[in-house]
Amino acid sequence: CCCCCCCCCCASGANMADELAQTLQQILGTDNEVRKVAEKRYSDARAQNPGPTVAALFQVLSEPQRPDGVREQAAVLLRQCMGKLREDGSTWSKLGEQAHGECKAKLLQLIEGETVPKVRRLVAAVVQGLGNQLIDIEQNARPTNIDIWPEMMPTLMRIIMDGSKDAGLRADALWTVKEMLTCMWQVMVANGQQTLMVLKTCLGDVAVGVRCSAAGLFCEMIDNLDAKAERDAFTPLIQDFCLALEAVASSGSQEQINSVLQAMEGTNNSVEFFKDRVASDLMPRLSTIATSPAQSDTRRLALEVLISFAEAKPKTMAKVPGYVELILDVCVRFLMELDDDLDNWGDQDDDEAEDEEQYTAGKEVVDRLCRCMNKAEQFPKVLDKLKPVLATFLQSQDWKQAVAGITIISQIAEYVDEEVMVVQMVNGVQAFLKAAHPRIRHAAWMALAQLSEDHDEYVTSETVAPQLLPLFLAGLDDPHSRVVTRCMEAFQLYGQEVEREILEPFVQPMMEKLGVKLQSGKTAVQQQTITYIAVLAGQVEDSFAVYYAALMPILKQIIQAVLQKPEERTLLGKAFECVSLLAKAIGTAGFRADAEIIMQAMVQAVQTPNQASNDPVKEYMMQASSRICWTMKADFLPFVPHILPGILEKFQLAPKELNDQTRKNLDGGEGDELNMTLIQGTDGEVKVLVMSTSEMEDLQNAIECVHTFVEELGKLYVPFVAQTAQALLPVFDFSMAEHIRDLAFETWGELCKVAREGSQPDVLSQLVQEFLKRVVPKLEEATGNGIDLEALKTQADGISACLKAAGPGILTAQQLQHIGELCLNAMDVSTKREEVEAQKKKDDDEGADDDDDETDEAAFQIACCEVIGALMRHHQDIFVATFLPRCMPIVQQLVQPSMPESKRKIAIFLACDLLEHLETRITAQWPQFLPQVVADIVSPSTDIRQPACYAVALAAKNPAFAQFAMETSQTLMKVVTDARARAKKKSERPAQAAADNALSAIAEILLHHQPTVAALEAQLWSVWLQALPCQEDEEEGKKNHGVLLQMVQAEKREIVGEGGANLPQVFSILVDVYKSDMATEETSKGIGQLVLKVGEARLEQLAQQLKEKQKKKLLRIHREAQQAS
C-alpha cells in the first residue's frame, strides 16, 4: 500500500501541489472541455497515486497564499478521499496505518490554524466525516476518550474553551463535535461534568456564533440520550439554552438562527426533556420568532419546531397550557399572508403558480396538528380552539380572513366527526362558491373537493347534491380561469361519489359547456375537460353512451394530433383515459370497431423514444388498458400479446444503491421526487437505496394492470402465465414499498387461480412450490434481530393469498405442519418483543404516544393467523390430523377475558377460521372457546365484538349451535338495535360494522334454528329487516341482502308483511343496494328479475313511497332487467 507523506516538504511534493492546484483551478473553470480533462487527470492521480495525491491536497490546503476557491475545492476532494473507509479499494484503505495517523494529525492542525471561515468549515467537515466513519462505540459503553482517534476530542475541547481563539474557530469546533455526536455521545456522557461546563460556558459566550453552535450541540446531545437519567443531568442548562436562542434570534444572523431552529426540531427525547419548560421558556421565544418581522423561512422554521413537538409526543403537548392555541394562532397568521396583486394571481395557472410559502406552511401545519392530535384522541381540543376563529372568519368582509377560514375547513374536514359540524362546514363553503372575490371562490372549491373526499356520504346526499350540482354547472363559466380549474378539479372528486340518478339530470347541460371547451384548442382546457367528461362517463355508465358517437371522433382526432408531441403527453394520457371510460359506457359491441385503433395508438404512445422518466402516458395507458379489458373481457384477448411484453418490462424496475454514478443519473432527472430506504447487506454494511417516484408508480401501475388482465380474463390467460410469473419474481425482493410487493403476491395468487381453473395442475404446482420456496423461509427471519415487521407481514399475506387461490391438494402434511409451526413461532417471538418494549416504556408516562411498534407487531401476528387459516381452508383433514392439537391450546388460552385485547382478537380470528373451514370437524372442541366467543358479542370493544359476531354467524350454520340459539339471538338483537340508534359519526363506523355482522348471525340462526327460536322469530325478522341495509361491512352486506332477496322471492310473511305491507321498505333496501358494493352480481340480477315479476302496476304503487332518487333508480333497474331478459 502507498504511504501518504503528509509533511510534503520535498521539492517533488511542492511540484505536485502546484500541479494539483492548477488542476483544481481548471476544474473550477467555465471551459467544459478543459474541466473534463482536469477531472480525469485528478481521478487518474487519485486512483494510481493515492498517497501523493492526498499529500498534495493537504499541502494546497495549508498554503494560505493560494486562491480560496482552490483551497475550498481541495477540502471537498480531501473529504471524498476520506470517505467510504470500509469499501475495498477506497483511497483510505490504500494509505496505510502510518499515513492514517498523519492524516488525522494534519486535519487537527489545519482546523486550528485556518483563518478563512469557509475553508475552515470545509476542513471541519472532513474531520467530522472521518470521525463518523472511524468511531464505533458500543451503545452501553461509556469511555472517557475515543481510542481510534485519541487526540481529536482533547484538541477540539481545548479550542472550544480557549477564549483567546477566534470565535469562528471555536464555533466550528463545536459544530464538529455536534456532527459526530451520534457515534460518540457516550464519551460526552462519561465526561459529564466537563460537558456541562463546556456547554454552559459556550451558551453564555459573548460571541453569538459560539452560542449558536453550542445551542446546536446541546439539542443534538439531548436527542441522542435515550436514558432519562442521562438527559436529566442537562436540565440545569435549559435556561442558558433559551437565553442563547434569544440572543441568536436578536442578532440578525438568519443563517445562525435557522441552524438553531433546525436543531430544535422535536424528537421523543427532546420533548420529554423540555416538556416541563415548553410553556414557560420555549413557547414565548418561538412565538416571538414566528410572528416577528424576521425572514419568512426563519418564521416557518419556528413553526416547524412547534409542530414537530406535537408530532413527536401529541399527548404530552396536548397537556401543555396554551400550546394548541399558540400553534393555531401562528398558523392563522400565516394563512392570511396572501398576495394582494389579484391580476398577478389570476394570470398564473394553479400548477405553475408561485407558492405563497407562508400560506402553504400554515395550511400544512393545521393538517399535521389535527392528524397527530386525532391519533392521540385530542382533536376535539383543537376543534374547540378553532370554532371561534371559524365563526369570525367565515362572517368577515376581509377576503383574506375568509380564505383563511375556508382553508381551515379544508384541513380539519378529515378529522371532524360530528354530523352537525359537517353540515355547518358544507353550508359555509357552499355560500362562498358564489362570493364576489375570486380567491374566496377558489378556496371554496378546494374545500368542497376535500369535503367530497372526507364526507362524501353527506355532500353527495339526495338533499345536498341538488344544491351543489347547479353550482358546479355555473362554475364552468366563472370569469377567472383559475377558479374554473379548481371547480373542474373539485368535480373529479365530487362527481365520482354522486349517485347516478342524482347526477343524470345535470349531464346534458354540463356536456353542452364541456363540448365547447373540448374544442377550444387550448391544451390546459382540453386536459381539464377530458377529465371532467371521464368522471361523468364513469359515473352514469351506459346512459353516457348517447355521447359516444359525437365524442369518440374528437378524442381520436386529439390522440392522432398529439401522439408525437412530447409537450402534450398529459393531454394524450387523459384522452386515453376518457376513451376507456367511453368504452365502458357503450360496452363491448359499441366499442369493438374502435378498439384496435385505440390499442395500437396506446402501444405506439408508450414506445415513443426519449420520453421523460415520469412520462404521464404510461400510467394512463395501463389504467386505460385495464378498463378496456374489464369492458371487453374475452374480446380483449387478441390485444394481450401486443401490450403485455411492454408492461412486463416495467417489472424490472428496482431501486439502486446510492453511489456516485446513481447520483449523476438522478441529477439528470427533472421534477421527479426520490424515495430512499436503508437496508443491511449480508456483510452487515448499511446501504442506501434510491428509486424515483415515477419509477415506483410505473411498477405499481404495471402490476395493477396485469392483475386486472389475470382477474378479468381468468382461464383465458393461461398462455401467458409462465411469462408473467417469470417477470414477477424480481418484485418479490422489492423493498422500497410493501404495498407494491403485496400487490405482486396477490397477482401471483391470481395466476395460481388461473392455472387451477384452466386445468393446469403441473403449472399450478410449480407456481405454488416456487412461491413457497422463495417466501416461506422469510418467516424464519421473524425470530431474528433488526427485523422489518412490515416486510414480514407482506410475506405472510402473500403466503395466505397463494394458498387460498391454489385450492385443495397442493400441500403435503409435512409442508402444512412446517408452515404452521413457523407461524406460531413467529407469533410467539413477536409477543416477546412486545413485552420487552412494554417494559422499556413502563417508566415513561407518555409511552402511549409511541404505539406504532405495538400496532405493527399486532398486524404481523394477525397476518400469521391468516396463514394458518389458509392452511385449513383447503386441507381440512390434514390440518385436523396434524396441526389442530397445536392450535387449540393457543386459542383456548388467548380467548380468556384476562388476556390483553390484542391477544383475544387473535384467538377469535383463529376461532373464525376453525368454524368456517373445519365445520363439524371442530364441534367437539367448541367447549374450549365458543362460550367465551358468544359472550364477546357484547364486548365494549368493537375490535372484539365484530369478529365475535362473525364467529357466531359461522357457528350458527352447525346444528350443534341450537343450545346457544335462543339466548344468543336475544343478545344479537340488542347489539343491532343499540348500534343503529347511535348518531351518525365516523367514529361510530366500527360499531355499525359489528352490527352488520350481528345481522348475519341473526339471519343464520333464523335459517338454521327456526324451531329453537320460534317464539322470537317474528321479532328477530323485524329487527333484522329494520336494520337493513348493512352500512359498513361489504361482505356481510352481500350476505344479508342476498338473504333478503331470497325471503322476498319466497314471499316470507315476516319479511313482506301482511298483504305486502313491508314491500315499500323492502324495495327501498333492494333498490339502494342494486349494483353497489353491498350486493353480488347475482343478487343485483335477482333484484331486476323481481322488479319484472312484480309488474308495472304494482311498481307504480310501490314507487309512490320511495324517494325521488330511488324512483329513478327503480326505473333503471326495470329497464336493465328488460334488456337482459
Side-chain angles (χ1 to χ4, degrees):
C1 60
C2 303
C3 187
C4 180
C5 301
C6 281
C7 293
C8 240
C9 56
C10 63
S12 62
N15 290 338
M16 188 166 184
D18 290 337
E19 292 173 4
L20 178 63
Q22 183 179 2
T23 298
L24 298 182
Q25 190 73 58
Q26 292 170 343
I27 290 174
L28 294 168
T30 56
D31 189 319
N32 289 337
E33 292 303 318
V34 172
R35 184 170 63 250
K36 288 179 182 178
V37 172
E39 287 174 345
K40 185 177 187 308
R41 187 187 313 130
Y42 168 76
S43 179
D44 290 344
R46 176 180 166 183
Q48 297 166 15
N49 299 294
T53 302
V54 170
L57 287 169
F58 270 114
Q59 182 155 345
V60 170
L61 265 173
S62 63
E63 295 175 347
Q65 71 273 17
R66 297 198 186 272
D68 288 349
V70 170
R71 298 172 66 226
E72 290 166 14
Q73 184 67 18
V76 171
L77 294 176
L78 184 61
R79 184 174 183 184
Q80 292 177 5
C81 291
M82 303 289 155
K84 301 181 180 177
L85 267 57
R86 294 179 174 82
E87 286 190 11
D88 292 338
S90 68
T91 301
W92 181 261
S93 68
K94 297 176 181 178
L95 295 180
E97 290 297 325
Q98 180 181 346
H100 290 169
E102 292 173 354
C103 288
K104 290 186 280 189
K106 189 64 177 176
L107 282 171
L108 295 177
Q109 292 171 20
L110 283 173
I111 195 172
E112 186 167 9
E114 184 56 59
T115 58
V116 179
K118 191 170 182 180
V119 176
R120 184 175 58 231
R121 177 54 72 94
L122 288 169
V123 174
V126 181
V127 173
Q128 66 86 14
L130 182 60
N132 275 314
Q133 295 177 87
L134 289 174
I135 301 167
D136 186 13
I137 301 173
E138 290 291 332
Q139 182 81 5
N140 296 324
R142 297 293 182 270
T144 57
N145 202 0
I146 299 167
D147 292 339
I148 200 165
W149 198 348
E151 305 85 7
M152 182 181 64
M153 285 304 293
T155 301
L156 292 174
M157 287 299 174
R158 174 176 55 76
I159 294 171
I160 289 167
M161 296 303 289
D162 188 347
S164 66
K165 296 282 188 185
D166 177 76
L169 168 61
R170 295 170 60 217
D172 284 341
L174 282 163
W175 177 85
T176 306
V177 175
K178 175 182 82 76
E179 293 299 303
M180 292 187 292
L181 266 185
T182 53
C183 67
M184 44 77 70
W185 58 267
Q186 300 94 326
V187 175
M188 304 291 281
V189 171
N191 297 284
Q193 290 303 313
Q194 181 187 4
T195 302
L196 282 168
M197 179 184 69
V198 170
L199 284 169
K200 185 171 182 63
T201 300
C202 295
L203 286 169
D205 199 274
V206 293
V208 172
V210 173
R211 300 181 85 171
C212 169
S213 292
L217 175 59
F218 177 76
C219 292
E220 188 71 23
M221 190 73 199
I222 300 306
D223 285 347
N224 278 281
L225 299 180
D226 293 335
K228 186 176 183 297
E230 291 179 339
R231 288 197 304 268
D232 288 348
F234 293 88
T235 302
L237 297 180
I238 292 179
Q239 186 63 28
D240 300 272
F241 168 77
C242 291
L243 293 173
L245 171 64
E246 200 173 296
V248 176
S250 60
S251 70
S253 172
Q254 183 184 356
E255 182 181 355
Q256 290 179 341
I257 184 58
N258 286 0
S259 72
V260 175
L261 292 171
Q262 287 166 348
M264 288 179 67
E265 288 188 18
T267 63
N268 287 345
N269 289 346
S270 63
V271 176
E272 279 297 299
F273 178 75
F274 282 114
K275 66 180 181 181
D276 294 330
R277 304 285 286 275
V278 170
S280 60
D281 293 287
L282 293 187
M283 282 169 45
R285 292 173 172 89
L286 290 170
S287 173
T288 299
I289 297 169
T291 58
S292 70
Q295 291 290 331
S296 297
D297 58 343
T298 300
R299 295 174 58 213
R300 290 196 300 273
L301 283 171
L303 179 58
E304 181 62 31
V305 174
L306 288 167
I307 187 60
S308 67
F309 272 51
E311 289 178 325
K313 290 276 187 179
K315 289 185 179 179
T316 299
M317 295 309 298
K319 297 174 186 176
V320 174
Y323 169 78
V324 171
E325 293 90 332
L326 171 61
I327 198 169
L328 290 174
D329 177 65
V330 174
C331 287
V332 168
R333 288 171 182 262
F334 278 29
L335 286 171
M336 290 191 292
E337 295 186 31
L338 299 166
D339 187 358
D340 289 305
D341 189 341
L342 186 58
D343 291 336
N344 178 57
W345 177 85
D347 289 340
Q348 302 177 70
D349 292 332
D350 271 354
D351 291 339
E352 300 175 359
E354 295 176 8
D355 188 21
E356 294 172 307
E357 292 179 331
Q358 303 304 92
Y359 169 82
T360 300
K363 179 174 70 172
E364 291 175 350
V365 170
V366 170
D367 178 64
R368 290 165 64 187
L369 179 69
C370 293
R371 184 186 303 118
C372 66
M373 289 297 176
N374 187 63
K375 183 180 178 183
E377 300 180 344
Q378 298 293 320
F379 173 71
K381 184 173 185 176
V382 178
L383 187 58
D384 286 345
K385 304 301 179 186
L386 282 173
K387 283 180 178 178
V389 177
L390 287 172
T392 301
F393 280 19
L394 296 182
Q395 297 176 24
S396 174
Q397 298 302 308
D398 182 339
W399 72 267
K400 291 185 179 180
Q401 287 192 344
V403 169
I406 297 167
T407 303
I408 289 171
I409 288 177
S410 298
Q411 302 310 98
I412 68 174
E414 178 181 353
Y415 312 101
V416 172
D417 196 29
E418 297 287 344
E419 187 175 359
V420 173
M421 185 68 185
V422 173
V423 172
Q424 292 173 350
M425 292 193 302
V426 173
N427 289 343
V429 168
Q430 182 178 337
F432 283 123
L433 292 173
K434 298 179 287 186
H437 200 288
R439 292 214 59 172
I440 296 178
R441 299 197 301 276
H442 184 268
W445 284 118
M446 289 175 63
L448 184 58
Q450 191 63 51
L451 288 163
S452 301
E453 195 166 9
D454 297 325
H455 297 282
D456 56 286
E457 189 174 329
Y458 176 72
V459 295
T460 62
S461 65
E462 193 172 5
T463 54
V464 178
Q467 301 171 33
L468 292 177
L469 286 168
L471 297 176
F472 275 107
L473 192 60
L476 292 172
D477 295 325
D478 196 284
H480 280 77
S481 60
R482 285 188 71 172
V483 179
V484 175
T485 298
R486 278 298 177 200
C487 167
M488 296 177 82
E489 289 175 350
F491 188 78
Q492 292 176 32
L493 292 169
Y494 185 83
Q496 292 177 28
E497 303 299 333
V498 182
E499 290 198 38
R500 172 176 171 169
E501 278 66 35
I502 298 175
L503 181 59
E504 279 179 330
F506 296 90
V507 173
Q508 183 176 344
M510 285 179 173
M511 284 301 298
E512 289 173 1
K513 296 178 185 291
L514 293 169
V516 175
K517 292 181 182 291
L518 186 61
Q519 300 182 69
S520 67
K522 297 179 181 178
T523 299
V525 175
Q526 287 179 319
Q527 288 179 15
Q528 297 159 4
T529 304
I530 287 173
T531 304
Y532 202 116
I533 291 171
V535 172
L536 291 174
Q539 204 63 12
V540 301
E541 296 180 321
D542 58 324
S543 69
F544 198 79
V546 295
Y547 300 101
Y548 185 91
L551 274 175
M552 185 57 77
I554 297 174
L555 290 170
K556 288 197 292 188
Q557 183 180 2
I558 291 173
I559 289 169
Q560 291 303 318
V562 302
L563 193 58
Q564 302 299 330
K565 294 182 178 180
E567 70 276 12
E568 305 287 12
R569 300 294 285 179
T570 299
L571 175 60
L572 179 60
K574 287 180 177 289
F576 285 141
E577 176 188 42
C578 193
V579 165
S580 67
L581 285 162
L582 281 176
K584 185 178 177 183
I586 199 168
T588 304
F591 181 64
R592 188 177 287 114
D594 295 308
E596 187 171 351
I597 296 173
I598 294 300
M599 295 306 300
Q600 287 176 350
M602 287 199 288
V603 172
Q604 186 179 350
V606 295
Q607 290 177 346
T608 303
N610 303 320
Q611 294 301 323
S613 61
N614 55 352
D615 177 22
V617 170
K618 293 179 289 188
E619 176 183 357
Y620 284 115
M621 185 281 287
M622 286 187 277
Q623 292 178 351
S625 296
S626 299
R627 206 173 283 117
I628 293 171
C629 176
W630 183 92
T631 300
M632 300 185 73
K633 298 295 192 293
D635 289 335
F636 185 78
L637 194 64
F639 302 116
V640 175
H642 302 289
I643 63 173
L644 185 62
I647 296 172
L648 294 183
E649 280 182 10
K650 301 296 181 185
F651 289 11
Q652 298 174 21
L653 293 170
K656 300 177 180 64
E657 183 178 356
L658 186 62
N659 52 35
D660 291 342
Q661 186 59 48
T662 52
R663 281 192 181 93
K664 288 180 182 178
N665 295 340
L666 293 169
D667 288 342
E670 294 182 3
D672 201 359
E673 296 180 356
L674 289 179
N675 298 274
M676 302 179 69
T677 189
L678 300 177
I679 64 164
Q680 190 170 26
T682 54
D683 57 357
E685 289 291 316
V686 174
K687 297 179 180 179
V688 179
L689 298 181
V690 294
M691 190 174 186
S692 68
T693 298
S694 64
E695 286 186 331
M696 288 181 63
E697 289 174 348
D698 281 351
L699 177 58
Q700 179 174 340
N701 291 330
I703 301 174
E704 287 176 345
C705 184
V706 170
H707 187 281
T708 301
F709 291 174
V710 179
E711 191 173 36
E712 294 301 327
L713 296 174
K715 61 185 180 182
L716 297 176
Y717 195 82
V718 164
F720 311 103
V721 167
Q723 178 185 6
T724 305
Q726 190 64 37
L728 263 179
L729 287 175
V731 191
F732 284 17
D733 297 320
F734 188 81
S735 57
M736 290 290 291
E738 288 305 320
H739 68 277
I740 292 178
R741 179 155 45 183
D742 188 51
L743 182 60
F745 289 164
E746 283 186 25
T747 305
W748 192 278
E750 288 295 323
L751 292 177
C752 293
K753 184 178 177 182
V754 165
R756 175 166 55 84
E757 293 178 348
S759 302
Q760 301 288 321
D762 292 341
V763 174
L764 174 60
S765 179
Q766 291 171 11
L767 287 170
V768 175
Q769 298 309 322
E770 179 67 24
F771 187 91
L772 296 179
K773 181 180 72 175
R774 288 174 175 267
V775 179
V776 168
K778 301 290 185 181
L779 281 185
E780 296 172 359
E781 298 174 10
T783 60
N785 294 320
I787 61 169
D788 184 342
L789 274 174
E790 190 180 5
L792 283 170
K793 178 187 178 299
T794 304
Q795 311 283 359
D797 288 341
I799 295 171
S800 298
C802 182
L803 292 179
K804 288 175 183 177
I810 206 72
L811 294 179
T812 65
Q814 185 179 5
Q815 283 180 310
L816 185 149
Q817 199 163 7
H818 175 64
I819 295 171
E821 287 292 348
L822 279 178
C823 290
L824 291 183
N825 290 339
M827 292 166 64
D828 183 55
V829 173
S830 174
T831 298
K832 288 176 181 175
R833 283 195 300 266
E834 285 180 312
E835 292 169 353
V836 170
E837 286 302 313
Q839 188 62 40
K840 284 182 182 178
K841 294 175 182 176
K842 199 169 184 180
D843 297 330
D844 183 359
D845 58 357
E846 294 299 331
D849 276 333
D850 312 316
D851 58 359
D852 285 346
D853 288 343
E854 297 172 16
T855 304
D856 289 344
E857 293 286 5
F860 172 58
Q861 292 165 22
I862 289 171
C864 289
C865 286
E866 291 288 336
V867 176
I868 295 173
L871 291 175
M872 66 179 87
R873 175 185 290 260
H874 297 303
H875 300 79
Q876 300 94 330
D877 293 329
I878 296 177
F879 188 93
V880 170
T882 63
F883 205 65
L884 183 59
R886 281 284 284 124
C887 280
M888 283 313 306
I890 295 171
V891 174
Q892 186 176 13
Q893 176 190 356
L894 297 184
V895 80
Q896 299 306 316
S898 58
M899 296 298 292
E901 183 177 302
S902 61
K903 304 306 171 193
R904 302 190 64 230
K905 184 177 177 181
I906 287 172
I908 299 175
F909 279 12
L910 281 172
C912 289
D913 283 325
L914 292 169
L915 291 165
E916 181 176 7
H917 304 310
L918 303 188
E919 300 175 325
T920 55
R921 299 175 183 85
I922 195 70
T923 307
Q925 282 77 28
W926 276 15
Q928 299 178 45
F929 66 91
L930 190 58
Q932 183 57 55
V933 171
V934 170
D936 281 331
I937 62 176
V938 291
S939 169
S941 168
T942 53
D943 282 347
I944 298 296
R945 189 162 72 247
Q946 180 172 344
C949 290
Y950 182 76
V952 168
L954 294 169
K957 298 177 182 180
N958 191 322
F961 191 77
Q963 59 181 308
F964 301 98
M966 177 61 83
E967 185 177 351
T968 303
S969 60
Q970 292 174 315
T971 308
L972 287 167
M973 283 195 291
K974 187 175 188 310
V975 171
V976 170
T977 53
D978 286 353
R980 295 300 194 245
R982 294 173 184 263
K984 277 196 170 183
K985 295 182 183 179
K986 276 186 174 182
S987 58
E988 294 295 346
R989 288 178 178 175
Q992 300 304 340
D996 292 343
N997 282 263
L999 287 174
S1000 297
I1002 290 174
E1004 295 295 348
I1005 290 173
L1006 284 164
L1007 292 173
H1008 294 91
H1009 303 281
Q1010 184 275 334
T1012 305
V1013 296
L1016 288 174
E1017 183 178 9
Q1019 185 182 358
L1020 284 167
W1021 280 121
S1022 175
V1023 168
W1024 182 78
L1025 181 61
Q1026 296 302 321
L1028 292 178
C1030 290
Q1031 297 184 13
E1032 295 296 329
D1033 194 318
E1034 292 177 3
E1035 289 306 311
E1036 302 313 302
K1038 291 172 183 176
K1039 295 175 188 176
N1040 283 286
H1041 303 140
V1043 171
L1044 176 62
L1045 177 64
Q1046 293 170 20
M1047 295 299 103
V1048 177
Q1049 290 170 332
E1051 299 183 2
K1052 180 78 172 175
R1053 183 175 54 82
E1054 288 83 356
I1055 296 299
V1056 300
E1058 291 291 342
N1062 294 341
L1063 282 179
Q1065 179 186 0
V1066 169
F1067 267 79
S1068 173
I1069 297 167
L1070 294 176
V1071 166
D1072 281 344
V1073 303
Y1074 176 79
K1075 287 193 175 179
S1076 75
D1077 293 334
M1078 288 285 183
T1080 63
E1081 287 186 22
E1082 184 181 353
T1083 298
S1084 293
K1085 182 179 179 181
I1087 292 171
Q1089 293 170 345
L1090 177 66
V1091 167
L1092 290 180
K1093 181 180 177 182
V1094 167
E1096 291 188 18
R1098 182 66 170 130
L1099 278 181
E1100 288 181 8
Q1101 294 176 344
L1102 293 171
Q1104 293 175 6
Q1105 300 183 53
L1106 299 180
K1107 297 176 182 177
E1108 195 61 34
K1109 175 190 70 175
Q1110 292 173 323
K1111 292 177 183 177
K1112 293 177 181 178
K1113 191 171 181 180
L1114 182 59
L1115 289 174
R1116 172 161 67 93
I1117 295 171
H1118 187 269
R1119 183 179 69 250
E1120 291 175 351
Q1122 281 184 322
Q1123 292 170 350
S1125 64

